[in-house]
C-alpha cells in the first residue's frame, strides 16, 4: 500500500530552509527552490495507484495550517502557485500499518532462483540504489568484483566548478552558453516567456533541438520546472511554447493546438482550486483516496 505525499509551491518568503515537527510526529519541510518555497509533505495511505496522483483537500489544508506555525507570513490558498502529489514505494516489514513509520531506505532482495531485486528507496538515492544492486548481483553470480565509479562521475553539463545558483541558467552548466548563443542569434528568444517565470524562448528551442523534448508537457513539466513553479503561468505560455516547438520539429498548427490542449488538461490538476476531488475513506486503511465514481 503506497502512501501519497503532497506538496504545494509558494512564492518565496524568508525561509532559508526550515523543518518542523507536526502534531502527529511527522516532519514538515519548507525548502527554497527557484525563488519559490516548496512545502511538504503529507503521508496518506491509498489503495488507488494513479498515473497523475492528485492532492486531497485535507492534505493541502494540513500543510498550510502547519506551515503557518513556522513561517513569518502564514500562507493561504491564494499564495499557492502549484500543488502536486506523488506516491512513495515503501517496503513493509512485519504487520505494521502506519506508512509514516516505514523506512524510506531501499531494500535488496535475492530470491531462491538468484533474481536480484531492489524495492523502496527514493529519487534522491537512485545512484546508491543502483550501486548496491550491482554489488549484490556480482556476489550472486560469482562475478569479479569491480568497484563502483559513479559516485564521482561527472554528468553531462558539469563545469568542474560550483555555481552560485543565482542565475536561472546555472542549472544548465556547460550547456548554458549554447542557450545564450540561440538568444544572440534571435534576440526575441532571449526574453522571458512570462514575467512570472524565468524561462526564455531559447530554452524551449534548446530543449527541442538537444534534449529530445517532443511535447509542450516535455518542456514545461520536465525540461523546465514551469509547471511546478507556477501552474497558471505555465498554462499562459503554453501556446508560445507550442509555436516554437512546431517550428523546430516541423509540425503544423493542428499539432500545436493539440499539444496545448493536452498540456492544459494536465496543468489544471496543479491549480489549487481546479484539481481538488471529493474525499472518501479507504476501507481498512484509515486514509483517504480520490473519489472515483
Amino acid at each position: 500500500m503506497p502512501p501519497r505525499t503532497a506538496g504545494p509551491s509558494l512564492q518565496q518568503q524568508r525561509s532559508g530552509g526550515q523543518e518542523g515537527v507536526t502534531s502527529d510526529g511527522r516532519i514538515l519541510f519548507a525548502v527554497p527552490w527557484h525563488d519559490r518555497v516548496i512545502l511538504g509533505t503529507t503521508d496518506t495511505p491509498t489503495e488507488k495507484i494513479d498515473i497523475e496522483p492528485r492532492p486531497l483537500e485535507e492534505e493541502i489544508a494540513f500543510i498550510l495550517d502547519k506551515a503557518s506555525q513556522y513561517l513569518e507570513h502564514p500562507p493561504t490558498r491564494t499564495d499557492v502557485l502549484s500543488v502536486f502529489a506523488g506516491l512513495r514505494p515503501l517496503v513493509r516489514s512485519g504487520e505494521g500499518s502506519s506508512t509514516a513509520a516505514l523506512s524510506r531506505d531501499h531494500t535488496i532482495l535475492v530470491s531462491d532462483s538468484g533474481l536480484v531485486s531492489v524495492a523502496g528507496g527514493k529519487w534522491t538515492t537512485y545512484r546508491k540504489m543502483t550501486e548496491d544492486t550491482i554489488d549484490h548481483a556480482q556476489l550472486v553470480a560469482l562475478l569479479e568484483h569491480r568497484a563502483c565509479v559513479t559516485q564521482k562521475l561527472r554528468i553531462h553539463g558539469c563545469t568542474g566548478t560550483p555555481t552560485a545558483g543565482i542565475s536561472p541558467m546555472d542549472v544548465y552548466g556547460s550547456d548554458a552558453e549554447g542557450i545564450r548563443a540561440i538568444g544572440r542569434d534571435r534576440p526575441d528568444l532571449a526574453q522571458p516567456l512570462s514575467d512570472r517565470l524565468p524561462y526564455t524562448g531559447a530554452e524551449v528551442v534548446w530543449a527541442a533541438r538537444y534534449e529530445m523534448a517532443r511535447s509542450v508537457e516535455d518542456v514545461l513539466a520536465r525540461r523546465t520546472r514551469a509547471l511546478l513553479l507556477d501552474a497558471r503561468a505555465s498554462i499562459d505560455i503554453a501556446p508560445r511554447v507550442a509555436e516554437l516547438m512546431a517550428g523546430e520539429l516541423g509540425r503544423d498548427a493542428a499539432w500545436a493546438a493539440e499539444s496545448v490542449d493536452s498540456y492544459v488538461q494536465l496543468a489544471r490538476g496543479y491549480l489549487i482550486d481546479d484539481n481538488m476531488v471529493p474525499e472518501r475513506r479507504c476501507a481498512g486503511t484509515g486514509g483517504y483516496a480520490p473519489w472515483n465514481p
Side-chain angles (χ1 to χ4, degrees), residues 42-64:
T42 58
D43 199 302
T44 309
T46 180
E47 293 177 332
K48 183 176 175 61
I49 307 299
D50 295 304
I51 294 178
E52 280 287 339
R54 299 300 188 210
L56 300 174
E57 179 66 44
E58 67 157 17
E59 294 178 304
I60 302 304
F62 173 85
I63 291 175
L64 292 178

Side-chain angles (χ1 to χ4, degrees), residues 201-282:
E203 290 174 80
V204 177
V205 170
W206 179 270
R209 286 183 188 175
Y210 303 111
E211 296 182 342
M212 297 186 287
R214 290 299 179 265
S215 68
V216 172
E217 181 182 343
D218 277 348
V219 171
L220 295 179
R222 288 181 281 273
R223 304 310 187 272
T224 71
R225 295 295 178 259
L227 177 61
L228 302 182
L229 296 179
D230 192 323
R232 193 169 298 280
S234 76
I235 290 174
D236 293 342
I237 66 174
R240 177 56 174 159
V241 171
E243 178 186 7
L244 291 172
M245 294 189 71
E248 286 295 314
L249 302 176
R251 302 286 189 169
D252 58 18
W255 174 89
E258 182 179 351
S259 193
V260 170
D261 288 344
S262 176
Y263 178 74
V264 170
Q265 183 178 359
L266 169 78
R268 283 191 60 206
Y270 290 69
L271 299 173
I272 191 169
D273 289 321
D274 282 30
N275 74 328
M276 296 308 169
V277 293
E279 300 166 354
R280 67 179 174 87
R281 284 282 181 180
C282 286

Side-chain angles (χ1 to χ4, degrees), residues 10-38:
L10 313 174
Q11 188 67 45
Q12 183 164 329
Q13 54 178 287
R14 287 190 295 175
S15 162
Q18 298 182 17
E19 62 180 54
V21 179
T22 65
S23 57
D24 59 359
R26 284 180 280 172
I27 301 296
L28 180 76
F29 295 93
V31 181
W33 188 58
H34 295 289
D35 289 328
R36 304 290 192 270
V37 173
I38 304 296

Side-chain angles (χ1 to χ4, degrees), residues 162-209:
T163 61
I166 298 175
S167 168
M169 297 296 290
D170 286 346
V171 298
Y172 288 97
S174 61
D175 285 341
E177 180 52 34
I179 298 172
R180 293 189 181 99
I182 294 174
R184 288 193 294 268
D185 291 341
R186 287 188 55 184
D188 61 307
L189 296 182
Q191 302 304 313
L193 296 168
S194 168
D195 59 3
R196 306 199 303 275
L197 291 167
Y199 305 115
T200 67
E203 290 174 80
V204 177
V205 170
W206 179 270
R209 286 183 188 175

